[in-house]
């Protein structure tokens, strides 16, 4: 093979650079000296080039050089002619991976590295996953001062291989001191912890909350070189909140390095003062809450049975005032209306806190917002707290209501008070809204009373981030309750100052700050198409097992799209639109003498096999999928609507048309 002169010189230059890099010249000199000593001493004969190459080959130096050089040739001749490239070029065996991050040199950063885990004993017997095999994974989610991060998923193991770094900006305030480099003393006063949530995702995509930990990062301010290593023991959640689930090795590093570090005594004194201040505020609130409860019981002895909830346990088993689970939350540009916010909350999964053993009792667990969002599912209390926070962010007067629904099952929902006195109930699990009109029990029987459409039976209390009211009306039945919150004979209020002392803002409390919502990472069109393709395969296989052939009608499938869009619009706004056009298009697509059947269904997950199994349990859908007849044509359309936090509403419609044979 002949090379043009310029290519030959380029190749020589590349090889020369590689030889210099490997210090081949130095190694040849060593071999030469050794060979002369061993072989030339007796006779002083001439040493040929062949002898030298033989010596180099014996010592493996030529093999080393050839291993380091890789020649990449273009296989596709058309590519070579169309885009001229060097015929050969040197490729490093392990090219360095350069990770670029925008760093403002005038700001202070905390670089948090997670350097593996150990003692996750629940996964002690877990076998090593094979390459390409789907396995359960751990994901670590972080929140610090309005910044959120998520680690790469790693396979579940006794020693999970976490190798991730997160650059946390210490000062996020845009005004005043936000533009200057904060010193160690200023950082010592920043008491926000790094909230870490560990999520396990199984092979079916189901998520489980493993641990929730608040990392105190300020110990790094006393480190000599600005670096400290911490072994963080993670405890379980709920009933396992006292059981260790594993240990994470974490390195904390300040960037840029501090000019002056603090002594460990100063830092420990600061921690002690903060703990004492928080403990004293919480003690005083507890004393006040006990006094308030005694007064409430003296109004009427039956109040003892009402659902008045002042404290609730979080995922770590810590008792917090219920008002601390709610605060105004603005969704930025991710949600546009309160009704869209209600729709978003309703598509987050509903799952009760797991209970070990039977008995039918409900395990109480009100999750912190980060744990709820990262797991993407929670109980009705988590949904109601998030919806109330979003409605407060939209400027509405919203409260979380605690009471019961049918059969005395405890339940929480959201209520808004309009400026004109209109009371609206919002069901956080479905997104439904109900107008409340109180029944007057003193009216004569001839007066027609409004029939309540909502599922709620009793209400014991309501609260938001600033107010708490206990229901002290003669009956706690929702249908007869009057929601005049200024009337203390109906609603016993708590002191706003007392609530403010333990609930942010203005409280140096153990209550974690709220994280911002994150935009969806799901591509709606791609996901819709993927699920649709999988469902077509599942339907075809199912019909094949029944001895039926399957013919898909792509045009009919496309015509189902407007209906799915209209269903989601109706769920979001309560307004139905576009149904006339859909019906007209279907009439035109189905010939005379043919029958059309359609079955829409809604899901909040994206697992095609689970979707298909659920659909087959419906006799209407099963009738379409297993349709027999003359000229049977099947259609399926999937439409995924994405929401923040990668939540999604999945609408599916199965349809068929066939010639009616009597």
């Amino acid at each position: 093979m002949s090379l043009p002169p310029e290519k030959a010189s380029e190749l020589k230059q590349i090889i020369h650079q590689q030889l210099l890099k490997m210090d081949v010249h130095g190694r040849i000199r060593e071999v030469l000296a050794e060979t002369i000593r061993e072989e030339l001493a007796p006779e002083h004969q001439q040493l040929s080039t062949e002898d030298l190459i033989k010596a180099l080959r014996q010592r493996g130096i030529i093999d080393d050089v050839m291993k380091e050089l890789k020649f990449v040739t273009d296989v596709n001749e058309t590519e070579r002619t169309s885009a001229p490239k060097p015929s050969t070029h040197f490729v490093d065996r392990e090219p360095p991976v350069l990770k670029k991050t925008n760093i403002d040199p005038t700001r202070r950063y905390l670089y948090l590295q997670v350097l593996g885990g150990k003692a996750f004993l629940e996964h002690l017997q877990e076998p090593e996953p094979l390459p390409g095999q789907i396995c359960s994974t751990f994901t670590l989610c972080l929140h610090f001062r309005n910044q959120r991060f998520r680690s790469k998923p790693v396979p579940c193991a006794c020693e999970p291989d976490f190798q991730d770094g997160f650059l946390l900006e210490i000062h996020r305030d845009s005004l005043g001191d936000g533009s200057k480099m904060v010193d160690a003393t200023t950082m010592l006063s920043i008491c926000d912890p790094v909230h870490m949530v560990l999520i396990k995702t199984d092979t079916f995509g189901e998520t489980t909350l493993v641990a929730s930990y608040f990392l105190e990062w300020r110990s790094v301010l006393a480190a000599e070189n600005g670096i400290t290593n911490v072994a963080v023991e993670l405890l379980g959640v709920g009933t396992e909140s006292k059981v260790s689930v594993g240990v994470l090795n974490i390195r904390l590093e300040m960037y840029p390095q501090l000019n002056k570090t603090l002594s460990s005594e100063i830092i420990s004194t600061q921690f002690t003062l903060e703990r004492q201040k928080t403990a004293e505020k919480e003690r005083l609130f507890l004393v006040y809450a006990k006094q308030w409860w005694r007064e409430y019981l003296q109004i009427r002895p039956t109040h003892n049975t009402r659902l008045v909830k002042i404290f609730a346990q979080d995922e770590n088993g810590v008792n917090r005032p219920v008002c601390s689970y709610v605060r105004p939350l603005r969704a930025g540009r991710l949600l546009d209306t309160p009704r869209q916010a209600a729709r978003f909350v309703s598509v987050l999964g509903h799952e009760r806190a797991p209970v070990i053993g039977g008995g039918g009792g409900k395990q109480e667990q009100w999750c912190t917002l980060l744990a709820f969002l990262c797991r993407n599912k929670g109980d009705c209390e988590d949904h109601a707290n998030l919806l109330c926070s979003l409605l407060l962010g939209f400027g509405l007067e919203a409260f979380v209501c605690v009471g019961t629904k049918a059969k005395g099952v405890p339940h929480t929902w959201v209520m808004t008070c309009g400026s004109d006195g209109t009371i609206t109930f919002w069901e956080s699990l479905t997104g439904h809204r109900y107008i409340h009109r109180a029944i007057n029990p003193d009216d004569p029987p001839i007066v027609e009373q409004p029939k309540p459409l909502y599922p709620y039976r009793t209400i014991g209390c309501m609260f938001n981030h600033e107010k708490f009211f206990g229901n002290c009306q003669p009956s706690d039945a929702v249908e007869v309750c009057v929601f005049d919150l200024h009337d203390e004979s109906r609603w016993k209020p708590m002191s706003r100052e007392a609530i403010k002392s333990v609930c942010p803002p203005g409280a140096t409390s153990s209550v974690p700050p709220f994280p911002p919502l994150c935009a969806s990472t799901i591509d709606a069109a791609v996901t819709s198409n993927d699920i649709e393709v999988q469902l077509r395969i599942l339907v075809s296989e199912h019909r094949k097992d029944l001895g039926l052939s399957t013919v898909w009608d792509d045009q009919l499938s496309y015509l189902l799209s407007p209906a799915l869009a209209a269903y989601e619009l109706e769920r979001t706004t309560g307004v139905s639109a576009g149904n006339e056009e859909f019906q007209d298009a279907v009439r035109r697509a189905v010939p005379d003498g043919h029958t059309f059947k359609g079955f829409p269904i809604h899901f909040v997950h994206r697992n095609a096999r689970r979707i298909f199994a659920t659909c087959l349990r419906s006799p209407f859908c099963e009738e379409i999928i297993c349709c027999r007849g003359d000229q049977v044509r099947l259609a399926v359309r999937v439409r995924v609507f994405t929401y923040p936090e990668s939540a999604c509403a999945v609408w599916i419609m199965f349809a068929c048309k066939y010639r009616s044979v009597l």
Side-chain angles (χ1 to χ4, degrees):
M1 183 183 75
S2 62
L3 286 174
E6 65 274 8
K7 295 294 179 188
S9 61
E10 183 186 342
L11 181 58
K12 285 178 183 176
Q13 180 65 25
I14 289 170
I15 294 173
H16 178 67
Q17 287 173 355
Q18 182 64 13
L19 295 178
L20 285 176
K21 180 181 173 184
M22 295 177 63
D23 192 25
V24 170
H25 297 93
R27 293 167 72 180
I28 290 174
R29 285 191 202 99
E30 289 172 12
V31 172
L32 185 60
E34 191 179 321
T35 307
I36 289 171
R37 277 199 307 275
E38 291 176 358
E39 299 179 10
L40 292 189
E43 300 92 4
H44 298 282
Q45 62 185 21
Q46 287 292 319
L47 186 71
S48 67
T49 308
E50 288 77 15
D51 294 331
L52 180 58
I53 289 175
K54 180 183 174 185
L56 291 173
R57 185 174 282 118
Q58 283 175 345
R59 287 162 177 79
I61 291 173
I62 290 179
D63 289 340
D64 288 347
V65 173
M66 296 310 292
K67 282 179 188 173
E68 287 293 326
L69 286 171
K70 289 184 181 177
F71 297 96
V72 179
T73 56
D74 294 312
V75 179
N76 192 332
E77 290 296 325
T78 56
E79 285 185 5
R80 182 181 295 169
T81 53
S82 61
K85 298 177 184 175
S87 56
T88 60
H89 64 275
F90 166 73
V91 178
D92 206 342
R93 250 194 326 192
E94 290 183 359
V97 179
L98 299 176
K99 294 182 179 177
K100 292 186 178 180
T101 308
N102 292 324
I103 294 180
D104 183 347
T106 65
R107 292 293 183 98
R108 185 74 71 188
Y109 294 93
L110 173 69
Y111 185 46
L112 186 153
Q113 286 176 280
V114 186
L115 304 174
K118 57 188 177 185
F120 284 78
L121 300 180
E122 193 174 325
H123 303 278
L124 191 59
Q125 305 298 328
E126 206 130 314
E128 282 282 321
L130 298 169
Q133 180 187 5
I134 297 174
C135 61
S136 299
T137 58
F138 282 139
T139 309
L140 194 64
C141 304
L142 274 70
H143 168 232
F144 177 69
R145 291 175 73 78
N146 227 33
Q147 304 160 81
R148 282 180 65 182
F149 303 88
R150 179 182 285 262
S151 75
K152 295 186 288 289
V154 300
C156 292
C158 184
E159 297 187 355
D161 187 27
F162 286 108
Q163 296 296 331
D164 261 306
F166 309 99
L167 197 64
L168 316 179
E169 193 176 326
I170 299 286
H171 215 290
R172 293 285 296 176
D173 301 330
S174 56
L175 299 173
D177 296 339
S179 58
K180 73 175 188 181
M181 179 80 73
V182 283
D183 57 10
T185 312
T186 308
M187 284 191 283
L188 186 59
S189 66
I190 298 174
C191 54
D192 295 343
V194 180
H195 190 184
M196 307 169 69
V197 169
L198 184 63
I199 301 291
K200 177 183 174 182
T201 309
D202 68 14
T203 52
F204 302 105
E206 289 295 307
T207 53
T208 312
L209 178 63
V210 178
S212 175
Y213 184 83
F214 294 96
L215 174 68
E216 179 50 75
W217 57 273
R218 288 174 289 176
S219 57
V220 74
L221 301 177
E224 283 298 323
N225 54 356
I227 301 175
T228 184
N229 292 296
V230 200
V232 169
E233 183 184 20
L234 301 177
L235 299 178
V237 294
T239 52
E240 301 171 42
S241 58
K242 302 289 187 285
V243 181
S244 174
V245 294
V247 175
L248 288 180
N249 297 317
I250 290 175
R251 170 178 288 186
L252 299 171
E253 180 178 355
M254 293 305 305
Y255 180 84
Q257 279 201 0
L258 293 168
N259 298 326
K260 181 183 174 185
T261 59
L262 302 174
S263 70
S264 53
E265 290 81 16
I266 289 176
I267 291 175
S268 61
T269 305
Q270 174 74 10
F271 292 170
T272 305
L273 286 171
E274 286 176 3
R275 280 195 297 268
Q276 287 174 349
K277 193 173 181 182
T278 301
E280 179 63 13
K281 284 186 173 182
E282 290 176 349
R283 186 188 69 80
L284 290 173
F285 181 77
L286 181 61
V287 169
Y288 170 76
K290 285 180 175 178
Q291 175 64 27
W292 183 93
W293 178 244
R294 279 196 295 271
E295 292 171 0
Y296 181 72
L297 290 181
Q298 287 170 7
I299 297 171
R300 204 175 281 109
T302 54
H303 284 184
N304 198 27
T305 60
R306 294 190 180 180
L307 276 176
V308 178
K309 192 148 198 61
I310 302 171
F311 295 94
Q313 281 192 356
D314 67 8
E315 67 265 25
N316 291 326
V318 177
N319 270 317
R320 302 186 191 278
V322 290
C323 296
S324 68
Y325 289 89
V326 172
R327 73 195 72 166
L329 178 64
R330 294 197 303 189
R333 302 197 182 275
L334 300 179
L335 297 168
D336 296 321
T337 66
R339 296 191 188 192
Q340 194 182 9
R343 179 63 179 148
F344 155 59
V345 174
S346 73
V347 298
L348 292 169
H350 177 223
E351 181 183 81
R352 296 195 166 193
V355 180
I356 299 173
K362 181 186 172 186
Q363 167 67 28
E364 182 189 79
Q365 180 180 303
W366 291 34
C367 281
T368 54
L369 183 56
L370 184 68
F372 176 40
L373 294 176
C374 293
R375 192 168 56 132
N376 245 324
K377 57 185 176 184
D379 212 337
C380 61
E381 294 87 359
D382 304 323
H383 286 78
N385 291 334
L386 174 56
L387 178 56
C388 183
S389 299
L390 288 167
L391 296 184
L392 288 167
F394 276 113
L396 302 180
E397 187 179 13
F399 296 89
V400 175
C401 300
V402 181
T404 62
K405 50 184 184 180
K407 298 181 181 176
V409 177
H411 190 63
T412 56
W413 65 96
V414 178
M415 182 193 87
T416 52
C417 304
S419 53
D420 59 352
T422 304
I423 301 297
T424 308
F425 294 147
W426 303 64
E427 178 46 64
S428 60
L429 297 178
T430 62
H432 292 160
R433 300 164 66 255
Y434 309 96
I435 303 296
H436 171 72
R437 294 183 180 84
I439 293 173
N440 186 353
D442 298 329
D443 279 344
I446 198 168
V447 176
E448 188 177 349
Q449 298 287 0
K451 288 187 177 179
L453 300 173
Y454 44 78
Y456 318 119
R457 293 293 177 265
T458 66
I459 178 168
C461 67
M462 65 173 78
F463 63 88
N464 61 19
H465 63 302
E466 294 177 331
K467 302 172 184 176
F468 183 97
F469 297 99
N471 184 1
C472 50
Q473 297 174 60
S475 170
D476 62 353
V478 177
E479 57 189 16
V480 297
C481 277
V482 176
F483 289 89
D484 179 4
L485 302 180
H486 301 290
D487 187 349
E488 293 192 10
S489 67
R490 289 191 167 103
W491 296 95
K492 179 172 172 58
M494 266 194 178
S495 158
R496 290 181 69 159
E497 286 69 29
I499 293 170
K500 193 176 178 183
S501 70
V502 288
C503 296
T508 53
S509 66
S510 55
V511 177
F514 267 26
L517 294 183
C518 286
S520 178
T521 57
I522 296 170
D523 186 319
V526 171
T527 310
S528 302
N529 201 54
D530 288 347
I531 298 173
E532 195 170 301
V533 168
Q534 292 178 59
L535 286 177
R536 283 196 174 200
I537 293 168
L538 290 167
V539 169
S540 299
E541 288 176 349
H542 185 74
R543 287 177 62 84
K544 189 176 179 182
D545 292 342
L546 299 173
L548 300 170
S549 62
T550 307
V551 182
W552 294 100
D553 187 331
D554 290 340
Q555 175 61 13
L556 184 59
S557 296
Y558 180 70
L559 295 183
L560 304 177
S561 295
L564 301 182
Y567 297 147
E568 182 62 22
L569 183 67
E570 188 176 4
R571 287 286 180 99
T572 307
T573 63
V575 178
S576 179
N579 200 32
E580 301 82 7
E581 292 90 342
F582 166 65
Q583 289 180 355
D584 187 51
V586 168
R587 284 193 194 100
R588 291 168 59 83
V590 178
D592 289 342
H594 283 62
T595 300
F596 170 84
K597 289 181 180 177
F599 177 78
I601 190 167
H602 171 254
F603 295 92
V604 293
H605 64 81
R606 306 186 299 279
N607 187 315
R609 287 195 173 275
R610 276 174 58 199
I611 287 170
F612 185 64
T614 305
C615 291
L616 281 180
R617 288 199 290 271
S618 163
F620 301 107
C621 189
E622 202 249 357
E623 187 181 318
I624 292 172
I625 291 171
C626 306
C627 180
R628 296 171 183 268
D630 185 21
Q631 297 181 25
V632 175
R633 298 290 182 269
L634 291 171
V636 62
R637 190 68 170 170
V638 178
R639 179 71 167 89
V640 174
F641 296 88
T642 57
Y643 287 93
E645 297 298 326
S646 297
C648 60
V650 180
W651 281 100
I652 298 165
M653 184 181 275
F654 289 97
C656 67
K657 64 176 182 179
Y658 58 93
R659 183 191 290 277
S660 305
V661 180
L662 297 176

